[in-house]
Short mmCIF file of all heavy atoms in Angstrom, two decimals:
data_model
loop_
_atom_site.label_atom_id
_atom_site.label_comp_id
_atom_site.label_asym_id
_atom_site.label_seq_id
_atom_site.Cartn_x
_atom_site.Cartn_y
_atom_site.Cartn_z
N ASN B 184 -61.16 -40.36 32.09
CA ASN B 184 -62.34 -40.07 32.87
C ASN B 184 -63.64 -40.55 32.24
O ASN B 184 -63.77 -40.57 31.01
CB ASN B 184 -62.45 -38.56 33.10
CG ASN B 184 -61.25 -38.02 33.83
OD1 ASN B 184 -61.19 -38.04 35.05
ND2 ASN B 184 -60.24 -37.58 33.07
N GLY B 185 -64.56 -40.90 33.13
CA GLY B 185 -65.95 -41.13 32.75
C GLY B 185 -66.75 -40.31 33.75
O GLY B 185 -67.31 -40.85 34.69
N SER B 186 -66.77 -39.03 33.53
CA SER B 186 -67.36 -38.10 34.51
C SER B 186 -68.66 -37.54 33.95
O SER B 186 -68.65 -36.76 33.00
CB SER B 186 -66.36 -36.99 34.81
OG SER B 186 -66.90 -36.07 35.74
N PRO B 187 -69.79 -37.93 34.52
CA PRO B 187 -71.07 -37.49 33.96
C PRO B 187 -71.35 -36.01 34.23
O PRO B 187 -70.89 -35.47 35.23
CB PRO B 187 -72.12 -38.35 34.68
CG PRO B 187 -71.38 -39.28 35.58
CD PRO B 187 -69.97 -38.80 35.69
N PHE B 188 -72.13 -35.45 33.32
CA PHE B 188 -72.52 -34.05 33.45
C PHE B 188 -73.40 -33.81 34.67
O PHE B 188 -74.25 -34.61 35.01
CB PHE B 188 -73.31 -33.62 32.20
CG PHE B 188 -73.87 -32.24 32.31
CD1 PHE B 188 -73.05 -31.13 32.17
CD2 PHE B 188 -75.23 -32.04 32.56
CE1 PHE B 188 -73.56 -29.84 32.28
CE2 PHE B 188 -75.75 -30.76 32.67
CZ PHE B 188 -74.91 -29.66 32.53
N GLU B 189 -73.11 -32.70 35.32
CA GLU B 189 -74.02 -32.11 36.32
C GLU B 189 -73.87 -30.60 36.18
O GLU B 189 -72.76 -30.12 35.93
CB GLU B 189 -73.57 -32.45 37.74
CG GLU B 189 -74.09 -33.71 38.31
CD GLU B 189 -73.47 -33.97 39.69
OE1 GLU B 189 -73.23 -33.02 40.45
OE2 GLU B 189 -73.19 -35.15 39.97
N VAL B 190 -74.95 -29.88 36.41
CA VAL B 190 -74.86 -28.42 36.38
C VAL B 190 -73.77 -27.97 37.36
O VAL B 190 -73.76 -28.40 38.51
CB VAL B 190 -76.20 -27.77 36.79
CG1 VAL B 190 -76.07 -26.26 36.81
CG2 VAL B 190 -77.32 -28.19 35.85
N GLY B 191 -72.86 -27.15 36.88
CA GLY B 191 -71.83 -26.59 37.76
C GLY B 191 -70.59 -27.45 37.93
O GLY B 191 -69.61 -27.01 38.52
N LYS B 192 -70.61 -28.67 37.40
CA LYS B 192 -69.48 -29.57 37.65
C LYS B 192 -68.25 -29.18 36.84
O LYS B 192 -67.12 -29.48 37.24
CB LYS B 192 -69.90 -31.00 37.29
CG LYS B 192 -69.03 -32.10 37.87
CD LYS B 192 -69.67 -33.44 37.55
CE LYS B 192 -68.94 -34.62 38.15
NZ LYS B 192 -69.57 -35.88 37.69
N TYR B 193 -68.48 -28.53 35.71
CA TYR B 193 -67.34 -28.20 34.86
C TYR B 193 -66.32 -27.34 35.60
O TYR B 193 -65.12 -27.62 35.59
CB TYR B 193 -67.81 -27.48 33.58
CG TYR B 193 -66.66 -27.12 32.68
CD1 TYR B 193 -65.95 -28.12 32.01
CD2 TYR B 193 -66.24 -25.80 32.53
CE1 TYR B 193 -64.86 -27.82 31.21
CE2 TYR B 193 -65.16 -25.49 31.72
CZ TYR B 193 -64.48 -26.50 31.06
OH TYR B 193 -63.40 -26.19 30.29
N GLN B 194 -66.82 -26.33 36.28
CA GLN B 194 -65.88 -25.44 36.99
C GLN B 194 -65.17 -26.20 38.10
O GLN B 194 -63.98 -25.98 38.36
CB GLN B 194 -66.63 -24.22 37.55
CG GLN B 194 -65.70 -23.12 38.04
CD GLN B 194 -64.71 -22.66 36.96
OE1 GLN B 194 -65.07 -22.39 35.82
NE2 GLN B 194 -63.41 -22.60 37.32
N THR B 195 -65.88 -27.12 38.75
CA THR B 195 -65.25 -27.94 39.79
C THR B 195 -64.09 -28.74 39.21
O THR B 195 -63.02 -28.85 39.81
CB THR B 195 -66.29 -28.92 40.38
OG1 THR B 195 -67.47 -28.19 40.70
CG2 THR B 195 -65.77 -29.62 41.61
N ARG B 196 -64.31 -29.29 38.00
CA ARG B 196 -63.24 -30.05 37.36
C ARG B 196 -62.05 -29.17 36.99
O ARG B 196 -60.90 -29.54 37.18
CB ARG B 196 -63.76 -30.71 36.08
CG ARG B 196 -64.64 -31.89 36.30
CD ARG B 196 -64.81 -32.62 34.95
NE ARG B 196 -66.10 -33.26 34.84
CZ ARG B 196 -66.96 -33.08 33.85
NH1 ARG B 196 -66.67 -32.25 32.84
NH2 ARG B 196 -68.11 -33.72 33.84
N VAL B 197 -62.36 -27.98 36.45
CA VAL B 197 -61.28 -27.05 36.09
C VAL B 197 -60.44 -26.72 37.32
O VAL B 197 -59.20 -26.77 37.29
CB VAL B 197 -61.86 -25.75 35.47
CG1 VAL B 197 -60.78 -24.67 35.37
CG2 VAL B 197 -62.47 -26.04 34.11
N ASP B 198 -61.12 -26.42 38.42
CA ASP B 198 -60.41 -26.09 39.65
C ASP B 198 -59.56 -27.27 40.11
O ASP B 198 -58.40 -27.10 40.51
CB ASP B 198 -61.39 -25.71 40.76
CG ASP B 198 -62.15 -24.42 40.44
OD1 ASP B 198 -61.70 -23.69 39.52
OD2 ASP B 198 -63.19 -24.15 41.08
N LEU B 199 -60.13 -28.45 40.06
CA LEU B 199 -59.43 -29.65 40.51
C LEU B 199 -58.18 -29.90 39.68
O LEU B 199 -57.09 -30.15 40.21
CB LEU B 199 -60.38 -30.86 40.41
CG LEU B 199 -59.81 -32.19 40.86
CD1 LEU B 199 -59.81 -32.28 42.38
CD2 LEU B 199 -60.65 -33.35 40.28
#
Side-chain angles (χ1 to χ4, degrees):
Chain B
N184 300 275
S186 180
F188 174 75
E189 271 175 36
V190 178
K192 198 174 184 184
Y193 180 69
Q194 192 55 48
T195 312
R196 285 193 212 126
V197 168
D198 294 345
L199 180 78

